[in-house]
Amino acid sequence: MNNTVQEINRLKEGLGAIILAHNYQPPEVQDVADFVGDSLELSIKAMQIDARFIVFCGVDFMAEQAAVINEGSVILHPDPEAKCPMASMISVEDIRRARERHPKAPVVIYVNSPAVVKAEADYVVTSANAVDVVSNISSDTVLFGPDRHLAEYIAKKTGKIVIPVPEDCYCPVHVKFNPNEIKVLKSIYKDHVFIAHPECPASVRALADFVGSTSQMIKFVKSCPNTRFLVGTEVGIIYRMVKECVGKSFVPASTSAICEDMKKITLEKLLQSLRNKLYRVEVDKEVAIKVRKALKNTFDVLGVESPWSKK
Ligand code: 13P
Ligand code: SF4
């Protein structure tokens, strides 16, 4: 074990801290984390953890989400410059304008957005539960932001009208997948199963054998009898797939599908975060109350009890 990892573990124990990491984090960060998962799993973990400190290795909205749902722990984000570019493409004004145009349509907001935007929402979802939530909402029309590709995916799966807010917002990493290149790859890797994230454009998803959140993709490759996979999401996920699926092999469907912001978290920054208690993530109390209300609606519509249900 190298010195940095030893020091991270020593500080972590001394502080009573828990390290959470997203599936796209660099391998060495995943290895030192207490739990690695997708946005939904990490939110649930952050909610359940009873620790003085949670160090969140991921992009800004994920650490902010942890601060909203766990008021008892101090949330640290090792690099506040690790920001999801898609999350910053939506504003509070976008939601308010859309509500004026469609006053009867509930607002469903993707977790990849700032807390102030989620505070305007009726429901907050992740890629793992968006389809379930929208199917269970009584309205046939919903406003959904910010990812228009995920909006299209939800519309296709639920048969509902899903209006994207704003009109053209997308993940710059997942739009790098190109259907023509995938067709070529599929002709080369004939025996590979193609899996894709719902943030991919419809033309790419149409070629996929399985579409799901990052952890749903990991579960799928574990349970699938096939041993070879073409992976249509950020390349960082392949580290976990290789580690947890002995005997199976993975080919990235695009080697340029790299989320630079996810890679801004390094072991050195994690060490400094623990050593100097940096960077503390705080969310305005009123905003946090509104986001938790939208999360409670989400849990309610799914029939799952939330920590706020009894309040
Ligand atoms: P997941 O919730 O599927 O892990 O997705 C998060 C994300 O940022 C995808 O680009
Ligand atoms: Fe945001 Fe896309 Fe990076 Fe996910 S992969 S964090 S949506 S920029």
Side-chain angles (χ1 to χ4, degrees), residues 98-111:
R99 266 202 203 274
E100 270 171 31
R101 282 199 296 270
H102 307 276
K104 288 193 182 139
V107 173
V108 182
I109 291 294
Y110 191 27
V111 69

Side-chain angles (χ1 to χ4, degrees), residues 242-264:
V242 170
K243 193 172 159 184
E244 295 182 18
C245 305
V246 179
K248 299 200 173 188
S249 63
F250 306 91
V251 174
S254 165
T255 48
S256 60
I258 298 170
C259 180
E260 301 294 349
D261 283 272
M262 282 282 182
K263 310 307 178 203
K264 284 181 181 162

Side-chain angles (χ1 to χ4, degrees), residues 22 24 39 58-62 82-89 110 112 147 170-175 197 199 214 233-234 257-262:
H22 186 264
Y24 297 157
S39 309
V59 285
D60 55 348
F61 75 82
M62 297 180 171
K83 295 175 192 286
C84 167
M86 178 167 71
S88 57
M89 290 184 202
Y110 191 27
N112 294 43
D147 185 11
Y170 53 88
C171 161
V173 177
H174 285 86
V175 295
H197 196 276
E199 289 176 11
T214 56
T233 193
E234 208 273 346
I258 298 170
C259 180
E260 301 294 349
D261 283 272
M262 282 282 182

Side-chain angles (χ1 to χ4, degrees), residues 47-286:
M47 194 160 36
Q48 293 167 339
I49 287 169
D50 179 18
R52 276 179 65 210
F53 294 91
I54 296 175
V55 189
F56 209 112
C57 299
V59 285
D60 55 348
F61 75 82
M62 297 180 171
E64 199 185 43
Q65 172 82 348
V68 164
I69 58 189
N70 189 328
E71 294 170 284
S73 303
V74 172
I75 312 297
L76 300 175
H77 188 205
D79 185 352
E81 288 309 309
K83 295 175 192 286
C84 167
M86 178 167 71
S88 57
M89 290 184 202
I90 186 167
S91 69
V92 167
E93 288 67 37
D94 290 329
I95 306 295
R96 292 186 180 163
R97 272 197 301 269
R99 266 202 203 274
E100 270 171 31
R101 282 199 296 270
H102 307 276
K104 288 193 182 139
V107 173
V108 182
I109 291 294
Y110 191 27
V111 69
N112 294 43
S113 57
V116 285
V117 168
K118 288 178 194 143
E120 300 287 316
D122 299 304
Y123 303 91
V124 173
V125 300
T126 74
S127 62
N129 66 14
V131 169
D132 278 353
V133 172
V134 173
S135 341
N136 283 295
I137 295 173
S138 53
S139 173
D140 284 338
T141 303
V142 299
L143 298 167
F144 182 88
D147 185 11
R148 85 169 166 87
H149 297 294
L150 182 56
E152 273 171 29
Y153 177 67
I154 298 166
K156 190 164 193 297
K157 296 296 270 187
T158 61
K160 296 195 177 190
I161 298 166
V162 182
I163 301 167
V165 183
E167 263 174 36
D168 190 17
C169 191
Y170 53 88
C171 161
V173 177
H174 285 86
V175 295
K176 288 193 176 154
F177 295 101
N178 174 302
N180 295 328
E181 283 171 21
I182 307 251
K183 280 179 197 156
V184 172
L185 285 170
K186 283 179 84 149
S187 70
I188 299 168
Y189 298 100
K190 283 194 174 57
D191 55 350
H192 285 52
V193 171
F194 176 46
I195 56 174
H197 196 276
E199 289 176 11
C200 290
S203 55
V204 170
R205 288 195 315 268
L207 300 169
D209 301 294
F210 177 81
V211 177
S213 79
T214 56
S215 287
Q216 287 170 339
M217 289 164 103
I218 292 169
K219 283 187 195 108
F220 175 79
V221 299
K222 281 183 180 169
S223 65
C224 182
N226 202 295
T227 57
R228 295 167 203 269
F229 301 87
L230 193 54
V231 182
T233 193
E234 208 273 346
V235 294
I237 198 172
I238 294 181
Y239 176 69
R240 216 186 131 192
M241 288 177 170
V242 170
K243 193 172 159 184
E244 295 182 18
C245 305
V246 179
K248 299 200 173 188
S249 63
F250 306 91
V251 174
S254 165
T255 48
S256 60
I258 298 170
C259 180
E260 301 294 349
D261 283 272
M262 282 282 182
K263 310 307 178 203
K264 284 181 181 162
I265 309 293
T266 61
L267 280 185
E268 189 52 40
K269 288 179 191 169
L270 176 52
L271 175 63
Q272 294 307 328
S273 176
L274 286 160
R275 188 174 277 158
N276 301 311
K277 302 187 187 63
L278 295 173
Y279 291 86
R280 192 174 174 153
V281 183
E282 283 174 302
V283 178
D284 176 83
K285 274 199 167 41
E286 290 305 311

